[in-house]
Amino acid sequence: MPIWSSGQANRTTDVALGDVDGDGDLDLICGNSGESTTLYENTDGIFASMPKWSSGQVNQTSGVALGDVDGDGDLDLVCGNYGESATL
């Protein structure tokens, strides 16, 4: 039995973990096919049940990655989208 699940059903195709908010806890990013990409914030080792952020754009996301692309110290999200342009 899982210790956590998202509060909504998504067609998640890929996930990434990264400290997006800089608090030392790994947050969860879900790439969803045909739905918005979502971010679940981790506070003191517990993921929120609802997303902290959802992309406004709906894509067929098949892969997600995090990295500091622009060198500003913040993690940036790259989405690989099936049959569409990748997004940053």
Side-chain angles (χ1 to χ4, degrees):
M1 175 169 234
I3 62 168
W4 176 88
S5 64
S6 63
Q8 60 190 35
N10 290 322
R11 289 177 281 176
T12 303
T13 56
D14 198 21
V15 297
L17 293 169
D19 186 9
V20 175
D21 55 6
D23 68 354
D25 295 323
L26 292 176
D27 304 303
L28 172 65
I29 295 83
C30 297
N32 302 310
S33 179
E35 301 169 346
S36 298
T37 299
T38 52
L39 163 69
Y40 292 91
E41 193 171 50
N42 178 347
T43 304
D44 298 324
I46 300 171
F47 288 118
S49 61
M50 296 302 292
K52 172 77 174 186
W53 172 85
S54 293
S55 65
Q57 185 173 352
V58 173
N59 291 319
Q60 300 294 330
T61 301
S62 57
V64 292
L66 294 169
D68 185 7
V69 175
D70 55 6
D72 66 356
D74 295 325
L75 290 176
D76 302 302
L77 173 65
V78 178
C79 295
N81 304 307
Y82 179 76
E84 305 170 21
S85 298
T87 55
L88 170 65

